[in-house]
Structures are given as C-alpha cells and as structure tokens.
Amino acid sequence: MGSVNALAKSDFPLLRRSVNGQRLCYLDSAATTPMPQAIGEKLQTFYAQSYSSVHRSVNSLGLETTNAYEHARSKVAKFINADPAEVIFTSGATASLNLVAESWGRENIHQGDEIVLAVSEHHSNFLPWQQLAQAVGAKLRLIKLNDQEELDLIQAKSLFNEKTKLLALAQVSNVLGSENPVAELISMAHQVGAICVIDGAQAIPHERIDVRQMDCDFYAFSGHKMLGPTGIGVLYGKKALLEQMPPAHFGGGMINYLDHGQATWEAVPEKFEAGTPNTVGAIGLGYAIDYLNKIGFKNIEQHNQELMNYLLPKLAANPGVKIYGQGQKLGVVSFNLAGIHPHDAATLFDQFGVEVRAGHHCALPLMQELGIPASIRASFYIYNDQADCDRLLEAIKQTQEFFNESC
Ligand code: PMP
C-alpha cells in the first residue's frame, strides 16, 4: 500500500505551528477544524470593505452585506439540496436542535407522547429532548448498542409505536465515528407518523448530504466543524413544517406587523432569525462550502477511507488498545489504553505534539452504556496524512512504555 497523503495541508497555517517543541499533529477535528488561510483572508477583506448591517438598510453597504448573507444562504441550500427558505442560520448545531425542541416540540409533544433517541447522542441532541419530555410529561425511549457497539436496529424497531412523535438521531456519532442507520430509522419513524431530527454535526464535513433524499424533517450542523468560523450553524427544516411552527425567539427582523396588542411573523426563514444575525459567520460558512466543493466529497471520502485503512489495523493490533465501535469510522476513533487514564494519556500525547481529546465527549449516556468514564478520541480530516497516524501510534507506544515502567 502506498503512503496516504493529505488532501490539503499547506492551506492551513495553524498546522505549521509547533506545540511543546514538536510539529503540531492535529487530531481534534471532530471538535473544531482549523480554517484555510484563504477563508480567513476573504473574511478580512469583507470586514475591511463591506461589513455593515444586514436586512435593515437601504444604503449601499447594507445592501452589499444583505446580498452576501443571502448568497451564503443559497450556497448552503444548494450544498444540502434544500430550498433557501428552508435554511435557518443559527449559532451552531446546539442552537438548531434547541430551536426544534422549543418550537416544534413545545407545540406538538404532549403528556404521554414518546421521543426516540439514540443512547449515543451528543448532549446537544439529548438534553433538549430530555428537558422537553420532563416539562410536558413525555417519555424518552433510547436506542441501545448491539454487540458491535453500534446502534441496535432490532431493539430500535420495538421502540416505535403510535405514541412516538419524534426521532432525534446523529447521523455520525462524535464518539464511535460510525455512520448510524439513518435511512432505516427515519423509515421506522415515518411509518408511525413521527418526525425526524437529524444531527449532522459530524457527518457534514465527511460526506455529501442531500436532505431531500434522506427525507429527514430537520437537519442541524455547525460551521466550525467544516472549516468555517465558530458561532454559525444551520437548521434545515421542511418548509411545510417550518411554516406551521411558532418562532422560538423574538426581536428585530422577524415581524410582519406589530402593534400594542399583537404581532404577526415574517415568512420563513426570517421568522426564526430574530436579532442581528452572524453575517460574517454565514459568509464564512459559504466560503467553507466553496472550499469543500472544490476539494470534492469523492476525494474526501476516499482520503478518509485510506487513512482509516492504514490506522485501524495497526491500532487494533496493539493488545493494550480497546477501540469503541466496530463499524466504519468517519474520521473519528475513540479508544482507551489498558490501565492508563485517558486524561493522563492525552496529557502525555500533548508533550509529543499530538493533540487529541480525552473525556466523555458530551456523550455521558454513551459512556454509561459502554461502562467507561471517558475515552481518548483522535479525529482526522483532509489535512491529516499517514505521518499523523504514525505520530499517534508512536505516542501510544511511548505512553504505554512510560506508564508500564513507572508502575
Ligand atoms: N452534535 C454532535 C454530534 C457534535 O459532535 C457536536 C459538537 N461536538 C454538537 C452536536 C454540537 O455542536 P456545537 O457545539 O457546534 O453547537
């Protein structure tokens, strides 16, 4: 097998820096991806030349900003195969998921109703539903893991019934890295008349998303995990659903009419974007989409496959390594080292310049299901190469030697 090269490394100035005297080996992309230099530069130009208020001004700068913001919305819509009216800009996946819970959930989920979600959900797609269920007297029903530490479709089937109102599901787990059986679960949910909220935060950097083909009712993601800025995210919703939903937040830019006694709302998506939005974030997300389209998802998928094919057998061959989840990995690998606390391991990795994450990864119900307090998570993206895998493998070896000797 030939060596696995990065798809794009030189575009990312952050990756040229060193940490603790070592060249940075960045393996924390599932948390946040660095930004290509060209995107930062374009945003600088926007700040310097056009930055102004959006949707509220008839002056030239205001119009330029509004056009750039709406152009970004059109790019997002095309990127996920939606209509621009179905794309709501939010501050991130968390805000998108909470919006559905606060708006659709509050209107449609009542006492005795049931919400199905996976035990592996990130807290952002767990807590909004847990809190809603507690507030209205609904019940959460959890899809558990099978022997392969993947979602158990057989058990899942038994959870759906006429009381099920909503399925909340990550497309890709931020801990296991596996692609969940989204099509099968959406079909189960739709068969009983439930709507489907898909958390795409970990999927969208890795694969082409087509929300129509997926037939999800809502889809949420964040800009900062797909080479864009922080503080920007998207909620896609089917237009017919969005039109029926009440706004969750109130303020400027979202009313059609207002007097002392009443208010009527703007059409979607403005109805859901109260206050001055994150214009620069949305424009930056548009640039990130341009960048990803240029690289091409076929190349991104193939590169991930090659990296995982190189790394996983070597990791699995180490008897002191326990990998979580037996399925395919979309850039995310979680594991533990026998007898070594994940935080100790990650701290030592950092001394070697290898930046991973250790902890519960905002997925405590999954940690409880796996029977562990925490894990080490290494996550990869287009700028990683075989040398990064080797650095991780070497950091693991050195850490095992260090702790074995010091016992
Ligand atoms: N869902 C998943 C699967 C995630 O990995 C994350 C980020 N760790 C989120 C939701 C929340 O994203 P954000 O913090 O950008 O809102």
Side-chain angles (χ1 to χ4, degrees), residues 129-138:
W129 310 115
Q130 183 199 59
Q131 296 303 302
L132 176 69
Q134 283 174 8
V136 304

Side-chain angles (χ1 to χ4, degrees), residues 336-394:
N336 269 320
L337 305 181
I340 304 172
H341 194 283
H343 284 103
D344 289 339
T347 306
L348 213 55
F349 288 8
D350 183 54
Q351 293 305 305
F352 304 123
V354 176
E355 308 291 299
V356 295
R357 179 161 166 192
H360 55 60
H361 315 294
C362 299
L364 273 171
L366 174 62
M367 295 291 128
Q368 288 148 10
E369 180 81 353
L370 293 170
I372 52 173
S375 74
I376 305 161
R377 181 182 75 181
S379 50
F380 296 78
Y381 203 38
I382 54 173
Y383 29 71
N384 292 118
D385 54 17
Q386 188 168 316
D388 292 320
C389 298
D390 291 337
R391 295 269 306 274
L392 173 68
L393 294 164
E394 182 60 23

Side-chain angles (χ1 to χ4, degrees), residues 94-296:
T94 302
S96 302
L97 296 162
N98 275 278
L99 200 165
V100 184
E102 286 167 33
S103 174
W104 194 92
R106 281 279 171 176
E107 284 283 297
N108 295 286
I109 297 183
H110 307 293
Q111 184 156 25
D113 287 342
E114 294 183 0
I115 298 168
V116 174
L117 64 160
V119 71
S120 48
E121 292 311 305
H122 187 280
H123 296 171
S124 295
N125 202 25
F126 198 104
L127 283 165
W129 310 115
Q130 183 199 59
Q131 296 303 302
L132 176 69
Q134 283 174 8
V136 304
K139 190 171 165 195
L140 293 190
R141 306 208 63 193
L142 295 185
I143 306 171
K144 299 290 190 68
L145 301 184
N146 60 21
D147 292 345
Q148 273 77 50
E149 293 170 339
E150 304 297 338
L151 292 190
D152 186 340
L153 267 180
I154 298 166
Q155 180 254 351
K157 216 168 187 167
S158 70
L159 300 178
F160 291 94
N161 59 55
E162 70 287 352
K163 291 188 210 151
T164 316
K165 289 288 170 306
L166 184 138
L167 164 72
L169 180 71
Q171 190 177 354
V172 172
S173 159
N174 67 310
V175 178
L176 304 172
S178 32
E179 171 111 38
N180 287 326
V182 170
E184 291 90 333
L185 289 165
I186 288 180
S187 157
M188 285 180 202
H190 281 166
Q191 269 168 36
V192 296
I195 64 137
C196 303
V197 182
I198 304 300
D199 172 359
Q202 296 294 343
I204 200 138
H206 290 283
E207 55 185 307
R208 170 69 65 196
I209 303 302
D210 182 330
V211 288
R212 289 201 199 290
Q213 196 194 346
M214 189 184 287
D215 197 24
C216 54
D217 299 284
F218 295 98
Y219 193 90
F221 58 95
S222 295
H224 70 101
K225 294 181 196 289
M226 52 183 290
L227 311 180
T230 49
I232 188 72
V234 168
L235 174 66
Y236 155 81
K238 281 183 181 163
K239 200 168 171 202
L241 285 172
L242 293 175
E243 281 170 344
Q244 289 160 18
M245 284 159 52
H249 303 115
F250 303 90
M254 47 81 72
I255 58 112
N256 187 18
Y257 174 77
L258 172 68
D259 66 23
H260 289 195
Q262 58 174 334
T264 57
W265 315 124
E266 270 278 21
V268 289
E270 281 81 13
K271 178 168 77 171
F272 294 105
E273 292 184 3
T276 302
N278 182 358
T279 346
V280 180
I283 293 165
L285 177 59
Y287 293 148
I289 287 172
D290 295 340
Y291 184 93
L292 289 172
N293 280 336
K294 204 162 149 216
I295 299 258

